[in-house]
Amino acid sequence: MSEGIGARVLRKEDKRFITGKGRYTDDIIEANQAYAAFVRSPHAHARIVSVDASAALAMEGVETVLMGPELVADGIGNIICGWGVTSKDGSPMNMGAWSALATEKVRYVGDAVAIVVADSKALAKSAAEAVVVEYEELPVVVGSVEALAEGAPQLHENAPGNLIFDWEIGDLAPTDAALASAAHVTEMDITNNRLAPNPMEPRSAIATFNEAEDHYTLYTTSQNPHVARLVLSAFYNVAPEHKLRVIAPDVGGGFGSKIYIYPEEIACLWAAMKCGRSVKWTSDRTEAFLTDAHGRDHVSTAKIGFDKDGKIVGLKVNTKANLGAYMSLFSSAVPTYLYATLLSGQYDIANIYCDVQAVYTNTVPVDAYRGAGRPEACYLIERLMETAAREMGVDPAALRAKNFVKSFPHQTPVIMAYDSGDFDANLKQAQEAADVAGFAARKAEAASRGKLRGLGYSNYIEACGIAPSAAVGSLGAGVGLWESAEVRVNPVGTIEILTGSHSHGQGHETTFAQIVAERFDLPTENIQIVHGDTDKVQFGMGTYGSRSGAVGMSAIVKAMDKVEAKVKKIAAHVLEAGEDDIVIEGGAVKVAGTDKQMLWHEVGLAAYTAHNIPEGMEPGLKESAFYDPTNFTFPAGCYICEVEVDPETGVTEVVQFVASDDFGTIINPMIVEGQVHGGIAQGIGQAMLENVVYDEMGQQLSASYMDYTMPRADDLPNYSVHHASTVCPGNPLGMKGCGEAGAIGSPPAVINAITDAIGNNNLAMPATPAAVWAALQDVQSKIAAE
Amino acid sequence: MYETNFHSVSSPQEAEAILATATDAKILAGGQTLIPTMKQRLAAPSDVIDLSRAEGLRGVTITKRKVMGVIKADGGETVTIGAMTTHAEVAANAELAEVFPAMCRLAGNIGDPAVRHRGTIGGSVANNDPAADYPAALLALAATIHTNKREIAASDYFQGMFETALQEGEIITAVSFQAPAAGGYGKFPNPASRYAMAGVFVARSKDGAVRVAVTGAGENGVFRHAGLEAALTADYSANAVDGVEVSAEGLMSDLHGTAAYRANLIKVMAKRALA
Amino acid sequence: MKIAMTVNGKSVSRDVPDNTLLVEYIRDHLRLTGTHVGCDTSQCGACVVHVDGRAMKSCTMLAASASGAQVTTVEGLATSKDELHPMQVAFKENHGLQCGFCTPGMIMTATDMVARYQGQGKELTEEAIRHELEGNICRCTGYHNIVKSIVDGASKMTTA
């Protein structure tokens, strides 16, 4: 079957995008639509003394100006974090109040104070400028370490010392003992830089209130419209769930930043009700830097101990996680259950202990960004392994291989039970593809041109498809992380798949169709994927955490199982054969070994005419399923990066990037490779280019593309992407997930390569030309001193 | 963007008349800086005067020297570039490439292709962004800035970041310079904005004088570097640059690099300008 | 003010405020929403269209400045409704897009660069393509398949 599992099927969704016919939220115009602009705090921390909107309201064409106290009085609830994390001492996390529009205090630059609704976008902006807010400035803190220090400015009354939680995992005493007995201990301070996700489509929302029907519609740039509806309804009291339709049409990338329900969507819905007009808001890029949830921002110290044979005996980590001014939807899970549970990496480590202090600062809230916690874990363990190998004078690949987990299932000391993998196979495949054997010659050749060449490894493992629901619930999750699907076979035999997953670039319309094509032996053009609309799809948890394959597609498989059973029952009845003898192939439903058959569409028609179906069978051919996985999935792999550094300027060129991934079963290799390419680009971006920088006053210095370095075509290499797969035993298709691996695995490979090239291990991300040059100067001054 | 009144003019004189009467009119050349500035509400001109249809402001003319009827591209030719000539046009000008290809290369590395199709030399010079490329070239080439009112020497014209000698009602019509005997431009782009983080233009005129102008690195816009000029006048080679002490004093420090890093870049880019 | 121009071969005229950007004229007034806005600083290139045959950033140009011009947007790139432009085909065949948001600008930049290089008889190498893409940002693809698409599209444009 040319369009089934494993085929490089070209994407069904492309036609509308390449012809400019995509339908993104900002492309939509509702009748009598008004435009919103937000009055935002220019200060990182201040008390609101007074707000005077009279000048704005006096402007012709200004519909309304609405503020926080009125929002609270109308019963709109505070924005919540949906994952409860408990501190070492058993106390719950300290969640400070976050109102969609500030009431008394603002806590970061960009914090919304009022929503202005007007006839045009330009007028709304002018009116927002005309709103006079008097602030009493308060002292500011932007770094997590500084925020925990005594005497630091306090953000929230119920979070003394700005501490949200002080969480731990693993056993401290055995880990300390193991480290004390170690033959070699490597100790490092490791920072994971703060990033801005930057999907190319800025966030946008259009809210409509139909007064006659008491019904709301929200078009929004969301990765998970059903979760948005649930939270908007259950926690923010904007509208009851059955009176709120959320549509996420074409969405231009998310990378995590479009999971969350932001103040703007709440305020637009509320304002639409207040003024009886559709209200549209579209972020500009600067606003995106100031308000989209950021990612990463960890400051850690880590110790890893080895015995005399180079086997790891223990790992101890302390991490301070900067969560920004408020707790975003999944912010608490990122530096805890999505991070510390992966600190064992690909290695068999008996003793691990990690404690994490999550901290409030006067910065944009931090939440999941592509990888979410796993890139931080991978960077930490893979920098440690590379550094330890250098300190012990052993080959970094050999040190890793010696410590690989080799039998599965493998229970780590930090919750995760790895179900499958072959880390040696990935390492070997990557080494061959990267021609590691020829590196020395390439290094010498580069040196003859005055360039410094280096090579770095990263052997990552990550966890996708967070599950099962009962387990994540026991860890504090406020939702279940299953997925739903509905398979509708129409009377003419065409098929619609309604899925709770959401595609914002991942190509679900193609990949999901492929598994259906495979199962029923039909062309993908007869299969339509429906997603992104709460009125069409019953429910869904959306797309993030590389869950759409392992969880979303598994739900489709479960629903297809039911459809297949019914199809076979109908065919067996009509063809007067036993169900077990029925096979589906070549667009027909056949009795095996005979020439008796029904064409596929004839079965559909039979189901809907119901003239001749088994007695007692309900008519129709539509089945749904909710799939709850039994475990996480564990994609893993080996990345090898080779760089060339210009010592005069510090400019680093990635001359080769090799990936060997284990994603389990691959449905569409073309799409999977595309996911890896994009992930690696974001990983190289984190390692060499991207950095959110605040000054002491809490002003974001990097709030536009003039100062935030987005990876561009000439910053990046072609990627050499390979697969060495083991089947995942945890789901029916054997899939593991591929969306985040590139971003998780690549940063340490890059930094390990650059530090190898320059001979200085003291290099933080992003390794900009200036940073690499400075590190080279340090090497030279050390040499001069000796 | 705030409200504004748009005018399209057919001559600088027509623009001058509007400038004289409007409250706060601005000349719109390619608009690659002015429009983003207006979009971000950092500029609110009452009127914008679009010069793109004005006559006589576009194109490169070269007064060539001929020896025995043969064009000699050995410096001294007068190059005049109309203010509304786009970066793409300068980059692709075959005659200019013959007498001074470094100028074409410089223009071909400003911004990106779409910006080069729209952005103009006059707009760049009028704006005098401290990280723009043309100011370094014009200062090193001892160019002349022609306006509707007068001619201004580059050394008098560039007066610190975003500051120029332009007076009210004055419109740049062209720039001109003598093609140097040798010269080149070394640019280290800011990783994010791709403007110059350090751009060094080196030019040796036909009489042997060497001028070195630096953009992107100084705290106060484009400047000439006396040390590099002296060394390169004595010995026009990359080796000569090695011996020069480039001080970090007066250089910019920001999230992209320290003043010390920029001082290093000035040296390296000076060498690459000679390559 | 009344602004008239030719967009995708059709004469259009709209009465719009003087400060209307070309991209606003195209998106909001002509309702051709394939041209996108992804930044405020003229760097992302999602808004690239052709004005009188040259790639320009429609977010960094007043509509009034394009008065009388021939403008082509991604919707008008193909010669007919049933046919795709070779560069559009190349982007599909080489998986040169994921979320699709930057794609119209990428394709308009790509066709401009190929036309320029072919017009000047210069070789469009992968390195040149990467350099030419300086003004177009993609967050999904890591550019690998965009570069492949343009190489393929260029050869398709030669033979077309």
Side-chain angles (χ1 to χ4, degrees):
Chain A
M1 184 72 207
S2 64
E3 294 187 315
I5 292 172
R8 304 177 78 89
V9 178
L10 297 182
R11 299 203 321 170
K12 290 157 70 79
E13 45 271 85
D14 282 357
K15 189 175 175 190
R16 64 179 187 272
F17 295 132
I18 57 181
T19 54
K21 302 285 167 51
R23 189 163 171 264
Y24 300 89
T25 300
D26 189 58
D27 298 341
I28 295 162
I29 291 182
E30 293 280 22
N32 194 28
Q33 166 182 298
Y35 296 81
F38 287 84
V39 178
R40 298 192 181 280
S41 171
H43 306 295
H45 200 189
R47 200 173 300 286
I48 300 169
V49 178
S50 66
V51 186
D52 180 0
S54 55
L57 286 165
M59 293 165 82
E60 198 186 323
V62 171
E63 186 79 44
T64 188
V65 178
L66 298 167
M67 288 171 251
E70 193 176 344
L71 180 106
V72 173
D74 275 7
I76 304 296
N78 283 331
I79 298 171
I80 51 118
C81 173
W83 193 307
V85 167
T86 306
S87 284
K88 289 170 186 169
D89 63 6
S91 61
M93 64 188 189
N94 302 317
M95 181 160 42
W98 183 9
S99 173
L101 298 172
T103 51
E104 291 162 11
K105 268 175 83 173
V106 286
R107 294 182 177 86
Y108 69 100
V109 173
D111 211 348
V113 175
I115 179 173
V116 178
V117 181
D119 287 346
S120 76
K121 199 191 248 188
L123 181 60
K125 281 195 175 179
S126 294
E129 284 175 359
V131 174
V132 182
V133 186
E134 193 188 329
Y135 295 99
E136 177 198 332
E137 284 185 63
L138 298 168
V140 171
V141 65
V142 297
S144 56
V145 175
E146 294 76 12
L148 286 171
E150 203 155 315
Q154 297 292 296
L155 270 79
H156 295 275
E157 269 176 26
N158 63 336
N162 299 313
L163 185 67
I164 300 168
F165 55 75
D166 181 4
W167 174 88
E168 67 180 346
I169 191 169
D171 292 321
L172 178 59
T175 304
D176 276 340
L179 287 168
S181 73
H184 179 87
V185 174
T186 290
E187 190 168 355
M188 292 177 83
D189 296 328
I190 294 178
T191 299
N192 210 282
N193 44 326
R194 179 184 276 242
L195 305 175
N198 274 301
M200 290 319 295
E201 180 206 23
R203 286 193 294 120
S204 180
I206 314 172
T208 300
F209 176 60
N210 181 333
E211 200 174 0
E213 297 186 4
D214 204 21
H215 185 276
Y216 291 82
T217 303
L218 175 70
Y219 282 93
T220 181
T221 47
S222 175
Q223 298 177 218
N224 33 229
H226 288 89
V227 175
R229 183 176 69 156
L230 168 67
V231 174
L232 282 163
S233 154
F235 297 97
Y236 308 153
N237 308 320
V238 174
E241 236 174 324
H242 65 302
K243 291 290 187 185
L244 172 61
R245 177 184 187 185
V246 178
I247 304 168
D250 284 330
V251 174
F255 315 112
S257 70
K258 291 174 180 168
I259 296 173
Y260 326 113
I261 293 80
Y262 287 90
E264 291 81 9
E265 291 143 33
I266 300 167
C268 283
L269 278 163
W270 177 60
M273 182 270 289
K274 297 291 263 192
C275 65
R277 286 177 73 177
S278 291
V279 176
K280 179 188 217 170
W281 168 78
T282 300
S283 171
D284 59 32
R285 185 56 60 186
T286 303
E287 225 173 354
F289 274 105
L290 294 181
T291 64
D292 289 5
H294 289 166
R296 321 282 193 254
D297 204 342
H298 282 194
V299 177
S300 301
T301 57
K303 272 188 204 179
I304 188 165
F306 296 83
D307 68 16
K308 60 180 179 14
D309 300 321
K311 292 280 282 179
I312 304 166
V313 296
L315 170 67
K316 186 180 180 184
V317 180
N318 170 264
T319 294
K320 293 176 175 54
N322 188 340
L323 295 194
Y326 303 101
M327 291 190 76
S328 177
L329 193 63
F330 290 123
S331 58
S332 57
V334 176
T336 52
Y337 295 106
L338 297 178
Y339 161 68
T341 54
L342 271 308
L343 282 171
S344 196
Q346 295 189 352
Y347 314 111
D348 184 3
I349 307 178
N351 302 289
I352 299 178
Y353 175 81
C354 175
D355 66 342
V356 179
Q357 289 83 45
V359 186
Y360 280 125
T361 63
N362 295 113
T363 62
V364 176
V366 175
D367 206 326
Y369 163 61
R370 201 170 195 170
R374 291 152 290 162
E376 295 91 320
C378 177
Y379 185 69
L380 188 128
I381 186 77
E382 288 306 292
R383 286 289 291 134
L384 282 172
M385 290 302 282
E386 194 86 14
T387 304
R390 287 174 192 168
E391 287 175 357
M392 293 189 283
V394 298
D395 175 56
L399 182 68
R400 286 176 168 92
K402 180 178 283 178
N403 285 284
F404 278 161
V405 170
K406 293 190 200 290
S407 69
F408 299 90
H410 170 83
Q411 178 63 53
T412 71
V414 280
I415 297 180
M416 294 301 179
Y418 301 161
D419 60 359
S420 60
D422 184 347
F423 306 145
D424 280 313
N426 291 118
L427 174 63
K428 190 160 170 281
Q429 186 181 48
Q431 284 181 316
E432 280 170 15
D435 183 22
V436 171
F439 173 71
R442 295 195 294 277
K443 189 177 171 77
E445 188 279 327
S448 74
R449 289 180 282 112
K451 297 285 174 70
L452 307 170
R453 205 158 171 124
L455 183 139
Y457 286 88
S458 166
N459 292 63
Y460 77 90
I461 186 163
E462 60 130 336
C464 298
I466 311 170
S469 296
V472 295
S474 75
L475 300 178
V479 289
L481 289 167
W482 41 263
E483 195 46 87
S484 86
E486 186 176 313
V487 176
R488 285 188 198 157
V489 182
N490 296 315
V492 292
T494 57
I495 299 179
E496 286 155 296
I497 303 293
L498 287 76
T499 169
S501 298
H502 185 275
S503 184
H504 30 279
Q506 295 88 342
H508 294 172
E509 290 170 41
T510 307
T511 310
F512 287 15
Q514 283 181 254
I515 60 166
V516 183
E518 169 96 12
R519 173 67 74 96
F520 299 131
D521 208 1
L522 296 170
T524 55
E525 64 177 27
N526 290 7
I527 300 152
Q528 185 74 26
I529 306 301
V530 178
H531 69 97
D533 184 341
T534 59
D535 262 15
K536 291 182 180 166
V537 180
Q538 183 193 342
F539 208 90
M541 297 310 299
T543 290
Y544 41 83
S546 306
R547 65 193 304 279
S548 299
V551 191
M553 278 201 258
S554 295
I556 297 173
V557 169
K558 292 287 174 194
M560 287 197 298
D561 289 345
K562 297 183 191 174
V563 168
E564 183 177 329
K566 189 164 181 180
V567 162
K568 286 184 169 172
K569 275 196 174 73
I570 293 170
H573 175 77
V574 173
L575 300 172
E576 296 175 341
E579 270 173 56
D580 294 344
D581 294 330
I582 302 292
V583 292
I584 302 173
E585 62 182 31
V589 185
K590 301 173 175 170
V591 181
T594 74
D595 58 358
K596 290 208 283 185
Q597 66 167 40
M598 293 175 80
L599 294 177
W600 173 259
H601 68 86
E602 289 172 339
V603 182
L605 197 63
Y608 284 92
T609 57
H611 294 164
N612 184 19
I613 57 175
E615 200 180 329
M617 177 185 272
E618 287 180 18
L621 196 47
K622 183 199 88 162
E623 300 289 348
S624 64
F626 284 71
Y627 173 74
D628 198 358
T630 53
N631 190 2
F632 289 74
T633 67
F634 297 96
C638 176
Y639 289 175
I640 299 177
C641 177
E642 200 166 315
V643 299
E644 224 173 78
V645 175
D646 173 359
E648 286 190 329
T649 59
V651 167
T652 302
E653 185 189 352
V654 177
V655 290
Q656 178 173 263
F657 200 101
V658 170
S660 168
D661 294 297
D662 177 358
F663 296 142
T665 305
I666 289 172
I667 309 296
N668 185 326
M670 177 190 82
I671 287 176
V672 167
E673 284 158 19
Q675 289 291 310
V676 176
H677 295 164
I680 293 172
Q682 287 180 5
I684 294 176
Q686 164 159 34
M688 294 173 60
L689 306 166
E690 300 178 42
N691 202 19
V692 172
V693 181
Y694 283 94
D695 70 9
E696 288 172 356
M697 300 303 293
Q699 298 291 335
Q700 215 183 112
L701 301 178
S702 52
S704 86
Y705 292 158
M706 295 296 281
D707 288 301
Y708 188 88
T709 310
M710 285 291 277
R712 280 182 255 205
D714 59 2
D715 292 318
L716 297 167
N718 281 322
Y719 319 99
S720 170
V721 176
H722 308 265
H723 304 290
S725 300
T726 59
V727 170
C728 174
N731 60 65
L733 290 165
M735 302 180 68
K736 297 190 179 183
C738 67
E740 296 161 291
I744 292 165
S746 54
V750 175
I751 297 298
N752 287 338
I754 300 175
T755 51
D756 178 48
I758 65 177
N760 182 351
N761 200 42
N762 187 17
L763 181 70
M765 297 193 290
T768 61
V772 172
W773 180 80
L776 277 164
Q777 300 314 108
D778 289 348
V779 178
Q780 271 162 15
S781 48
K782 256 181 219 148
I783 293 168
E786 277 162 16
Chain B
M1 190 184 296
Y2 294 110
E3 282 176 25
T4 191
N5 299 304
F6 179 86
H7 310 266
S8 180
V9 296
S10 56
S11 69
Q13 290 72 28
E14 204 183 318
E16 204 180 325
I18 299 168
L19 279 174
T21 52
T23 353
D24 179 24
K26 274 236 184 260
I27 295 289
L28 175 65
Q32 300 303 288
T33 302
L34 180 60
I35 300 289
T37 311
M38 289 172 68
K39 271 163 56 179
Q40 289 174 76
R41 295 176 167 240
L42 299 171
S46 63
D47 297 72
V48 291
I49 307 165
D50 186 348
L51 283 187
S52 57
R53 287 179 176 80
E55 309 262 333
L57 295 180
R58 206 155 176 156
V60 180
T61 52
I62 295 165
T63 317
K64 288 175 182 164
R65 292 189 325 116
K66 287 186 185 175
V67 179
M68 310 279 289
V70 178
I71 298 168
K72 300 288 283 184
D74 60 352
E77 300 84 353
T78 303
V79 178
T80 305
I81 305 176
M84 288 300 290
T85 312
T86 64
H87 309 323
E89 286 163 353
V90 173
N93 190 282
E95 279 183 86
L96 180 58
E98 209 172 286
V99 300
F100 191 41
M103 198 66 167
C104 300
R105 283 197 294 272
L106 175 147
N109 278 307
I110 300 173
D112 58 59
V115 167
R116 292 195 286 275
H117 282 150
R118 190 95 199 128
T120 65
I121 190 166
S124 171
V125 171
N127 188 46
N128 190 20
D129 188 298
D133 301 304
Y134 274 132
L138 298 192
L139 194 57
L141 291 165
T144 302
I145 287 88
H146 303 253
T147 76
N148 55 335
K149 304 217 163 120
R150 58 181 170 146
E151 293 182 358
I152 312 168
S155 52
D156 297 327
Y157 176 85
F158 297 107
Q159 301 186 343
M161 56 166 77
F162 301 110
E163 294 291 329
T164 71
L166 284 181
Q167 290 167 356
E168 250 175 65
E170 203 167 10
I171 301 164
I172 298 175
T173 54
V175 303
S176 68
F177 57 87
Q178 309 275 298
Y185 184 52
K187 174 180 181 175
F188 189 88
N190 176 306
S193 72
R194 303 292 177 103
Y195 275 81
M197 211 163 136
V200 180
F201 204 104
V202 179
R204 187 181 54 166
S205 68
K206 213 163 153 35
D207 61 18
V210 176
R211 288 191 183 79
V212 179
V214 180
T215 188
E219 278 182 325
N220 197 28
V222 65
F223 66 93
R224 281 173 63 182
H225 198 282
L228 286 168
E229 289 185 355
L232 288 168
T233 303
D235 173 13
Y236 193 75
S237 76
N239 286 341
V241 174
D242 278 330
V244 178
E245 187 76 29
V246 174
S247 162
E249 209 173 308
L251 300 184
M252 253 196 302
S253 262
D254 62 15
L255 68 159
H256 302 288
T258 59
Y261 181 58
R262 283 185 165 84
N264 171 65
L265 286 180
I266 289 172
K267 273 181 86 159
V268 178
M269 291 305 118
K271 283 198 263 186
R272 294 188 184 175
L274 298 171
Chain C
M1 69 187 291
K2 198 159 200 113
I3 297 172
M5 63 184 85
T6 305
V7 177
N8 299 333
K10 253 169 62 181
S11 295
V12 296
S13 175
R14 294 287 188 281
D15 206 353
V16 299
D18 286 21
N19 63 358
T20 304
L21 294 166
L22 180 58
V23 69
E24 293 169 339
Y25 186 87
I26 292 168
R27 281 181 61 80
D28 302 342
H29 297 277
L30 303 181
R31 296 297 292 141
L32 291 169
T33 55
T35 303
H36 297 149
V37 178
C39 77
D40 332 322
T41 47
S42 311
Q43 284 162 304
C44 83
C47 67
V48 170
V49 299
H50 296 175
V51 179
D52 291 329
R54 283 186 294 270
M56 292 189 191
K57 292 188 163 168
S58 63
C59 77
T60 312
M61 185 171 176
L62 292 173
S65 294
S67 174
Q70 297 274 345
V71 174
T72 307
T73 70
V74 71
E75 290 94 338
L77 197 57
T79 44
S80 81
K81 252 184 113 175
D82 314 313
E83 236 173 306
L84 293 172
H85 185 278
M87 190 59 76
Q88 291 171 320
V89 174
F91 268 72
K92 182 182 166 86
E93 289 181 351
N94 293 281
H95 191 29
L97 62 148
Q98 290 181 25
C99 83
F101 194 80
C102 76
T103 310
M106 284 287 175
I107 289 177
M108 298 312 283
T109 295
T111 51
D112 173 79
M113 90 172 69
V114 172
R116 259 187 298 117
Y117 274 68
Q118 291 184 351
Q120 294 166 13
K122 285 197 295 189
E123 191 195 353
L124 187 58
T125 60
E126 279 200 20
E127 194 187 346
I129 292 170
R130 287 183 182 274
H131 177 64
E132 286 281 331
L133 286 177
E134 184 172 322
N136 290 78
I137 300 177
C138 168
R139 191 55 151 170
C140 295
T141 64
Y143 302 99
H144 181 114
N145 285 344
I146 289 178
V147 174
K148 250 174 81 180
S149 299
I150 297 175
V151 169
D152 185 29
S155 86
K156 286 183 157 95
M157 280 170 73
T158 319
T159 53

